Amino acid sequence: MSNAAAIATRAAARLAGREAAGLRRVARTVEHADGVHLRIDGRDLVSFASNDYLGLSQHPEVVRSMQAAANRWGVGSTAAHLLGGHRAPHAELEREVAAWLGYESALLFSTGYLANLGVIAGLMQRGDVCVQDKLNHACLIDGATLAGCALRRYPHNDVDAAARQLDAAGDAPTLIATDGVFSMDGDLAPLPALAALARDRGALLFVDDAHGFGVLGPDGQGSPEHCGLGARDVPLRMVTLGKALGCGGALVLGARELVDALVQFARPFVYTTAMPPALAAAASAALAVLRREPERRAHLQALVARFRAGATQLRYRLMESATPIQPLWIGEADAAVALSQALMQRGCYVPAIRPPTVPEGSARLRITLSAAHTEAQVDGLLEALDQARPA
Ligand SMILES: *Cc1c(COP(=O)(O)O)cnc(C)c1O
């Protein structure tokens, strides 16, 4: 068999394996989206699946801002940032978010995935040690692989284990990387303890706050602020613009020296076309709405409390989460898929999350709430969960 045929055969075998295990995933086409209302396969559903936590993705002011910037700048940025693609709306957004979160500098990436690859592979090298939570997002793990540094993964939120891994690293430069809010569990990292550990051991702490930014903390600044921390405690932070801001892209925040180094050495920054400037303008508009309307976060928190009270009454197994990510633990992948389908029949879109996204035997329904939901919609989900529950 030729090498090309061997690759195709192997890919087909892996695919068949996924299928046989009942774990094949497919992208469903959404035919229409109006806030939390989706149409999929001709069926109208209320979505409990999006990361649009504040309901800003279709906010008129955000959309208008994108339209106006597209009129002025066109659609594409036409080049990489270092070759003429870095436009005023990009620079403006970097300045705004850095100032708001109290960092010297910020650097825009086209996605959060690329930002994490860029940070870790841009700063770490062979001989260094990257210490990470076992449940960290895939792109933090992939960043360490790309960097060629040693990767040590500690059990979820186990700060003592992280300390032992740092101690075992000897004199090697060490980076601690953690999600601020864990994307499939909804719980928070023990940021105060990790910040103290990093300070004590001289490690660099990097927090991926994809799900905390815009949602947590007294002003929506994120999970560090929720824990009473700030830029001094978290020297390097990544925030995404595609979740609470409803836009797309990401920013890395840190001291000027670190960010300047990323401009040179983060290949996912250097060697890619800058994001459309209109998207950066939209993110600035979304940030303005977020800061002006704290009532969105208050409503969201009230919905989280309402959902948790209701699901507890129905004796579903909630996970330890105070964030808008409210997974229901199911266990077996088949059962999670069956429940997801039963909810779909009742008009609720709630995807089942299965291995390999989560560990074997820990399949769940990942429910996300948004400020765009009404109390009645949350009650509707609870009623559907009651009717759909397995016998
Ligand atoms: C979504 C997510 C990312 C990736 O961000 P994108 O902008 O979607 O590429 C990174 N880290 C975490 C924890 C996430 O949840």
Side-chain angles (χ1 to χ4, degrees):
M1 190 167 23
S2 72
N3 285 333
I7 291 169
T9 305
R10 187 179 59 200
R14 293 183 72 198
L15 185 58
R18 273 262 160 106
E19 183 83 55
L23 295 177
R24 181 170 179 174
R25 298 176 285 189
V26 293
R28 293 172 178 279
T29 301
V30 174
E31 294 135 14
H32 183 74
D34 178 9
V36 299
H37 297 279
L38 301 183
R39 189 171 309 132
I40 297 175
D41 292 336
R43 183 184 279 146
D44 288 311
L45 301 166
V46 176
S47 170
F48 293 93
S50 98
N51 303 314
D52 186 12
Y53 299 121
L54 301 177
L56 296 179
S57 71
Q58 292 182 313
H59 190 288
E61 204 171 309
V62 177
V63 173
R64 269 199 309 275
S65 167
M66 186 164 188
Q67 288 166 334
N71 282 334
R72 176 149 166 222
W73 296 95
V75 174
S77 66
T78 79
H81 283 279
L82 300 179
L83 299 175
H86 191 61
R87 304 295 163 88
H90 299 132
E92 183 59 26
L93 179 62
E94 287 176 342
R95 267 196 303 273
E96 282 171 0
V97 178
W100 189 45
L101 297 182
Y103 288 86
E104 269 181 1
S105 284
L107 187 67
L108 193 54
F109 285 77
S110 295
T111 73
Y113 190 100
L114 291 176
N116 281 349
L117 291 187
V119 166
I120 300 183
L123 297 178
M124 301 297 279
Q125 3 182 316
R126 203 163 295 285
D128 297 350
V129 177
C130 185
V131 172
Q132 298 204 18
D133 192 291
K134 271 235 161 87
L135 296 189
N136 272 356
H137 195 270
C139 52
L140 289 169
I141 310 285
D142 293 354
T145 307
L146 191 60
C149 61
L151 171 62
R152 306 271 176 266
R153 301 172 71 189
Y154 54 87
H156 184 47
N157 282 349
D158 186 340
V159 180
D160 292 336
R164 286 192 294 276
Q165 292 174 342
L166 290 177
D167 291 341
D171 293 334
T174 47
L175 176 83
I176 306 174
T178 183
D179 287 15
V181 175
F182 289 87
S183 53
M184 295 299 141
D185 294 61
D187 61 338
L188 282 153
L191 292 180
L194 287 173
L197 176 66
R199 212 175 298 122
D200 185 59
R201 303 301 209 277
L204 180 61
L205 176 62
F206 175 40
V207 173
D208 169 350
D209 206 23
H211 295 277
F213 180 60
V215 176
L216 298 179
D219 302 313
Q221 288 167 305
S223 52
E225 285 73 14
H226 177 87
C227 303
L229 304 179
R232 228 170 319 124
D233 311 288
V234 179
L236 201 54
R237 188 187 309 197
M238 194 280 284
V239 301
T240 60
L241 311 172
K243 285 164 182 160
L245 252 48
C247 294
L251 287 158
V252 174
L253 302 122
R256 178 155 297 118
E257 265 182 359
L258 276 179
V259 174
D260 283 353
L262 292 176
V263 171
Q264 304 302 315
F265 305 118
R267 294 164 66 90
F269 169 80
V270 176
Y271 295 106
T272 198
T273 302
M275 73 158 61
L279 188 55
S284 287
L287 185 66
V289 177
L290 181 164
R291 295 179 65 176
R292 195 177 66 220
E293 299 181 1
E295 58 270 25
R296 288 176 185 270
R297 287 195 307 283
H299 176 57
L300 179 56
Q301 277 312 319
L303 294 179
V304 168
R306 191 179 186 92
F307 173 75
R308 287 186 70 85
T312 303
Q313 218 161 47
L314 295 174
R315 291 200 296 280
Y316 272 97
R317 186 166 159 197
L318 284 161
M319 294 174 64
E320 206 51 59
S321 164
T323 71
I325 302 172
Q326 288 294 328
L328 293 181
W329 176 282
I330 305 297
E332 289 314 309
D334 289 353
V337 171
L339 187 53
S340 170
Q341 281 167 352
L343 290 171
M344 183 105 85
Q345 298 294 331
R346 289 167 176 78
C348 296
Y349 179 59
V350 182
I353 308 288
R354 302 168 276 173
T357 304
V358 292
E360 204 63 50
S362 75
R364 63 200 69 173
L365 293 182
R366 181 176 182 270
I367 291 162
T368 53
L369 299 171
S370 165
H373 286 123
T374 61
E375 290 184 349
Q377 284 167 337
V378 171
D379 292 348
L381 171 63
L382 289 164
E383 196 179 310
L385 279 167
D386 191 24
Q387 293 166 351
R389 78 180 319 133

